[in-house]
Amino acid sequence: MDQDKSEEFYGRLRDQLAESSTWPSNYLYKFIVPTDTEKIKQIQDIFDNTGAVIESKQSKNAKYTSLSITVNLKNPDEVIRKYKEVGEVKGVISL
């Protein structure tokens, strides 16, 4: 995703989150990653020490793993910051 489009996307997301939730609030992230323990650990480390609840489930053929992460965050900017951090992990799909 090019920089301008991603900033536009995150700007819209920030506005939607500000309108739809009272902050601080629990936020549910959903990611699909290739089943690779290193990639999964990288994502888990991003949410380390945040009190996040992380659930993982492998696909039927074990090629992919879905991660559902619920965490209490202070504001929409924290939500976006975590999306950007996870976006640095190669091969991750954010839902």
Side-chain angles (χ1 to χ4, degrees):
M1 191 182 307
D2 78 36
Q3 192 64 29
D4 292 338
K5 284 186 181 177
S6 69
E7 288 308 314
E8 182 181 317
F9 169 78
Y10 287 124
R12 279 197 315 271
L13 177 60
R14 181 180 291 112
D15 293 343
Q16 290 172 345
L17 289 171
E19 289 174 16
S20 66
S21 299
T22 306
W23 297 93
S25 182
N26 283 338
Y27 187 80
L28 174 63
Y29 292 93
K30 291 194 174 235
F31 303 109
I32 305 289
V33 294
T35 299
D36 173 339
T37 54
E38 186 56 36
K39 290 182 191 296
I40 294 168
K41 182 171 177 1
Q42 282 180 281
I43 294 172
Q44 290 171 335
D45 288 347
I46 289 169
F47 290 92
D48 197 24
N49 298 320
T50 63
V53 176
I54 302 174
E55 297 175 25
S56 63
K57 182 179 178 186
Q58 283 191 350
S59 63
K60 186 176 172 182
N61 62 7
K63 189 173 180 181
Y64 295 97
T65 299
S66 71
L67 296 173
S68 297
I69 302 169
T70 304
V71 62
N72 190 282
L73 298 170
K74 293 179 194 157
N75 56 48
D77 290 327
E78 284 193 347
V79 172
I80 291 166
R81 190 173 313 115
K82 291 296 185 190
Y83 270 124
K84 288 181 177 181
E85 287 180 55
V86 172
E88 299 295 315
V89 180
K90 191 169 173 59
V92 174
I93 299 169
S94 298
L95 302 178

